[in-house]
Amino acid sequence: MTKELELLGSYKLVLGLEVHVQLMTEQKMFCGCSADIWQAEPNTHVCPVCLGLPGALPVPNFEAIRKAQLFGLALNCTLNQNSRFDRKHYFYPDLPKGYQISQYKQPFCENGHLDLLSGNVADIERLHLEEDVAKSLHEGGKTLVDYNKSSIPLAEIVTAPTFKTLDDAVDYCKQLQNIARSLGISNADMEKGQMRLEANISLRTADMEARNELPKYKVEVKNINSFRFMEKAVLAEVVRQRELLEKGETPKQENRGYNEATGKTVLQRSKEEANDYRYFPEPDIPPMFFDEVYINELKSLLPELPQQMKDRLVRDFGLTKEVAHALVDLGGKDLAEKFEAIVKKGNEGRKVANTLLNKKETLEMTVDQVDEMLKKSSEVINDSAAISAAVEKAISANPKAVEDFKAGKQNAVQFLVGQVMRETQGKAAPDVTRGLIVAALEKKSAQQL
Amino acid sequence: MKQLNELTIIEALEGLKQKTFTSVALTQACFEQIEKYDDVVKAFVTLVKDRALAEAEEADLLINSHGPEIFEEKPLLGIPYACKDNYSTKGVQTTASSNMLKGYIPPYESTVTQKLKDAGAVMLGKTNMDAFAHGSSTETSDFFKTINPWNKNKVPGGSSGGSASAVMSDMCIFSTGSETAGSIRGPAAWCGASGFKPTYGRVSRYGVVAMASSTDSPGPIAKTIEDASYVLKIIAGKDPLDATSSPTEVEDYFANLNNIDLSKIKIGKPKSYFEIELEPGVREKVEQAIEKFKELGAQIVEMDLLSPKYSIGVYTILQRSEVSSNLARLDGIRYGNDRTNFGFESKKRIMLGTYTLSAGYYDAYYSKAQKVRTLIVDDFNKAFNEVDMIIGPTMPCVALNLGDPEKSPMFGELMDVLAEPSAIAGLPGISIPCGLSDNMPVGVQLIGKHFDENKLGAVAYAFQKATDYHLNKPNLEGLK
């Protein structure tokens, strides 16, 4: 962050991201080939369709469509009821049809957003589905093509020029990764190429930022395969663009690639050489319509997302935002689930969180082992009288919990247990505490009737 | 007494069932005819005699071991056919008559040829066509020109010219064609065959080298409409491999051929289809055919329909756009032939289509053409509120002389003007012969509602039962 500010000088960063995420499906996007291609022998997962042989036709994979739509819902997007595929044309050896089946005018999902740790909001323009291209291998002056990857389903998530800091951009990407994983739609492993980034970078003055005015150019850096790579590439562009701007020049709109060795970006393609993709509606696939019933069904399938889980951990277990973030975002789905399992065994939330985050040895331990360790270490207060005072205090301090309890929300009890635990520094016996809270709440409800 | 190769499907099936002759004899007879006349006619680009005879032998074995019941399961068992060269045939070179695909042997079978194979049909070989179906005369084939069996100086029409010529030269019992706009009906009309262009989506396109994906319709070319209906029933249906194929139920077009009361049929005669420049001989024969339909009890009503001339522009833009996209896969990296192998006509189409899809021109051309297409569809829908089907000439003139089409860059579009409106609307159409003009066949076409193949076939069959135009055959000896 400091380095970034230093390099920017008086300029402000304008950053937009295009993120490609391979979706995990049984079959490829438009054919029946198995999509389980990791480490498979080259050209063993191929058929007339993904090889683009004359006469072969694409048939859309509904599993991929549904997963893309779930992804979109998780990113707070609107699902389009009318959607279709389009052809995007360009020539490259790894593109066997001479066009990629993608979505142009009517993507599955549009207008989403994601809350960032900094308090900023990432503005998401669209999520669309397309087919991945094949893989080119350059060996001994020859180019070899492995078509296993051809037509693997790929979700592309495009943001507005929404990021003002690299931290926000990295946070956004990590959240995307977590969401994809918690939905079970992708491992989004960047090392395996399951998640790839493209950054659109430009600089503007503070005045422009205040007026919400965008620069007249943007530089696109493609094929970014790690967060570290993204940071380096963006910073290299900041340096280059600032130099030009300070000389009174406007950087050219172009595609550039980051060179690890020199730490600089190099021109790949200028605006004049830009492809005209000649998009037009894919005539081999009829337009699609999704009715309200289907969309509502999909919404009901959406599991708890990382953001919702963090909110719940803060609410129910009295964790701080930072601790919840550490558990859910940094630890991943497994750690958060482990946390909940241990808490269910009657341990106090904050204590469990602290143990899991600070004692590395617990990573290797099972839920039961951690539970045992925690119980041994705590001097449990079993004395009802001692706990009662804390219970009374918690109940009178949280009238909303009482209301919730009356409304039948069992979470209220868990919440109050958390409060008592906080008060007693985690020493109150959970089962005794729970019993006392329920008794007190029931008494209170009866009185008010 | 007919030679075996002259038989229709229905006649040949009868002989095979009765064991009057074998499939091997039938297949041999076709090859004898091919060997005798194809040097001149040049209908075939590839012959697979050994494979065909092996298939025929297998058919004979099945007939011998199972008896006539086997035909219920395999309704084309032992029947030799010729296949247009744009159908992907596993292990048999498939070029769409182009140098670009010369030497390409597909590793997979098209749905239509698979269905024919499953039905027991015997494939004799692949027929010549305009390269990638880009044309209406079969002269743009990168290999050689096919002639019209009625006159060796005339073109057979196209793009399924090889298929129509092979049928009318009795080199096969039936053939497969494919139509984007006129490519089945046109050559059927100019060669005197019966062509059935089904509704778009009625027959799977899987494995047919794409020309214009939004209108390509595979279909049969046969000696009679009875035969064409028989084949259509076998190849039609929803295909899980073609997302644009229709789940609409397939009716038994053949069994229902007699199931019609012509007095309850109202046939529209669009004024606009007779206002374009028609050769007098064509006009006369088509008018006579219309009189015949009246005689048979059908009600003929004059009607308004958008002039087919509007379809020329719409069709040209849509088709060129889709062609430029569909041929992009032939980028010179695979298939062993670089892009200099594209013929003149294909290059022209790729260039125009690339232009009409370009940024800044898309709205003016492609997008506008799609809007007009919708108007044309609406116009037909309105017409079909009033009539059951539409009648008109298939082609504005009889077959042209070889070489003439090359003189007109828009030759195909102008010749196919009467097929284009129904093609871009995805409607089914039939062309059947209705007499000769200057000793060349004239075709009359019937255009029906979407998925109304049943009625269309039955009305055409009623005409063929009452006339013998479809029995006219060219004098092949005269070609030599």
Side-chain angles (χ1 to χ4, degrees), chain B residues 374-391:
Chain B
T374 305
L375 294 178
I376 291 167
V377 172
D378 291 347
D379 188 47
F380 273 115
N381 286 340
K382 221 169 61 192
F384 286 127
N385 286 333
E386 308 293 324
V387 299
D388 295 295
M389 56 191 67
I390 290 164
I391 195 166

Side-chain angles (χ1 to χ4, degrees), chain B residues 200-238:
Chain B
Y200 177 75
R202 176 71 297 175
V203 175
S204 169
R205 294 183 292 118
Y206 186 75
V208 180
V209 179
M211 208 258 262
S213 313
S214 69
T215 53
D216 286 348
S217 308
I221 297 177
K223 296 172 186 176
T224 63
I225 200 61
E226 194 183 15
D227 278 7
S229 301
Y230 189 83
V231 175
L232 182 60
K233 194 223 159 189
I234 292 163
I235 61 174
K238 173 73 187 168

Side-chain angles (χ1 to χ4, degrees), chain A residues 429-442:
Chain A
D431 40 350
V432 178
T433 309
R434 177 174 283 273
L436 287 170
I437 288 172
V438 171
L441 285 174
E442 276 169 354

Side-chain angles (χ1 to χ4, degrees), chain B residues 106-127:
Chain B
Y108 80 109
E109 194 75 33
S110 78
T111 295
V112 167
T113 50
Q114 186 62 51
K115 283 187 167 189
L116 291 173
K117 197 180 220 156
D118 293 344
V122 172
M123 190 177 84
L124 301 167
K126 309 289 289 286
T127 58

Side-chain angles (χ1 to χ4, degrees), chain A residues 405-424:
Chain A
F405 178 77
K406 281 199 289 182
K409 290 183 186 162
Q410 284 303 310
N411 279 347
V413 176
Q414 191 60 42
F415 171 75
L416 289 171
V417 170
Q419 298 303 308
V420 173
M421 288 297 174
R422 178 181 286 189
E423 184 65 25
T424 60

Side-chain angles (χ1 to χ4, degrees), chain A residues 139-393:
Chain A
E139 270 175 28
K142 283 184 180 167
T143 297
L144 305 171
V145 189
D146 174 8
Y147 289 97
N148 283 350
K149 192 162 76 71
S150 174
S151 201
I152 293 287
L154 205 56
E156 179 172 346
I157 305 113
V158 183
T159 72
T162 192
F163 304 106
K164 293 173 182 161
T165 67
L166 259 173
D167 281 351
D168 272 1
V170 172
D171 174 31
Y172 165 79
C173 292
K174 287 185 176 166
Q175 286 201 46
L176 276 192
Q177 219 171 20
N178 280 334
I179 289 171
R181 288 172 186 167
S182 62
L183 290 174
I185 58 174
S186 177
N187 286 329
D189 188 336
M190 293 191 79
E191 276 177 24
K192 289 184 181 174
Q194 292 162 343
M195 177 163 156
R196 312 190 284 266
L197 314 176
E198 291 169 26
N200 288 302
I201 308 154
S202 48
L203 302 183
R204 62 182 167 186
T205 61
D207 280 353
M208 286 169 76
E209 189 178 82
R211 288 195 303 269
N212 235 344
E213 183 186 333
L214 289 174
K216 291 188 173 55
Y217 72 96
K218 63 179 181 187
V219 174
E220 186 171 347
V221 180
K222 285 181 182 277
N223 301 323
I224 300 173
N225 51 19
S226 76
F227 297 137
R228 214 173 57 90
F229 189 116
M230 175 167 80
E231 291 180 38
K232 285 186 180 174
V234 169
L235 293 179
E237 263 309 291
V238 167
V239 171
R240 191 186 68 87
Q241 292 182 21
R242 181 180 162 193
E243 265 176 34
L244 288 170
L245 288 164
E246 282 175 345
K247 276 192 274 180
E249 294 172 26
T250 304
K252 288 198 182 80
Q253 177 127 346
E254 57 198 15
N255 285 359
R256 300 182 72 87
Y258 179 69
N259 184 327
E260 283 266 36
T262 62
K264 288 184 175 167
T265 63
V266 285
L267 176 66
Q268 285 181 330
R269 197 167 57 205
S270 70
K271 189 184 175 187
E272 287 71 32
E273 296 165 279
N275 275 320
D276 177 350
Y277 291 124
R278 294 181 286 122
Y279 282 105
F280 84 109
E282 167 57 277
D284 288 332
I285 302 172
M288 292 158 281
F289 176 77
F290 303 97
D291 62 20
E292 299 263 4
V293 177
Y294 167 83
I295 291 177
N296 288 335
E297 249 175 51
L298 211 57
K299 282 181 182 165
S300 72
L301 286 178
L302 211 58
E304 184 177 47
L305 295 167
Q307 186 60 50
Q308 293 164 336
M309 189 178 211
K310 281 186 284 180
D311 290 347
R312 187 168 58 79
L313 296 189
V314 170
R315 196 177 59 233
D316 292 355
F317 302 115
L319 304 187
T320 62
K321 272 191 174 179
E322 289 70 25
V323 170
H325 166 64
L327 274 178
V328 176
D329 295 335
L330 308 181
K333 210 182 165 192
D334 292 347
L335 187 63
E337 278 173 1
K338 191 171 180 179
F339 165 80
E340 291 215 82
I342 299 169
V343 170
K344 270 214 183 91
K345 290 195 169 282
N347 296 293
E348 196 266 333
R350 286 180 309 157
K351 194 168 166 191
V352 176
N354 283 337
T355 308
L356 289 178
L357 294 173
N358 297 324
K359 294 192 175 168
K360 276 206 174 129
E361 67 269 23
T362 58
L363 290 178
E364 306 300 323
M365 291 164 72
T366 65
V367 168
D368 286 337
Q369 287 168 334
V370 179
D371 175 45
E372 203 178 314
M373 185 184 91
L374 283 169
K375 292 222 166 105
K376 258 187 207 157
S377 72
S378 59
E379 329 145 26
V380 180
I381 305 176
N382 269 313
D383 176 9
S384 304
I387 300 173
S388 282
V391 168
E392 279 309 314
K393 193 174 169 192

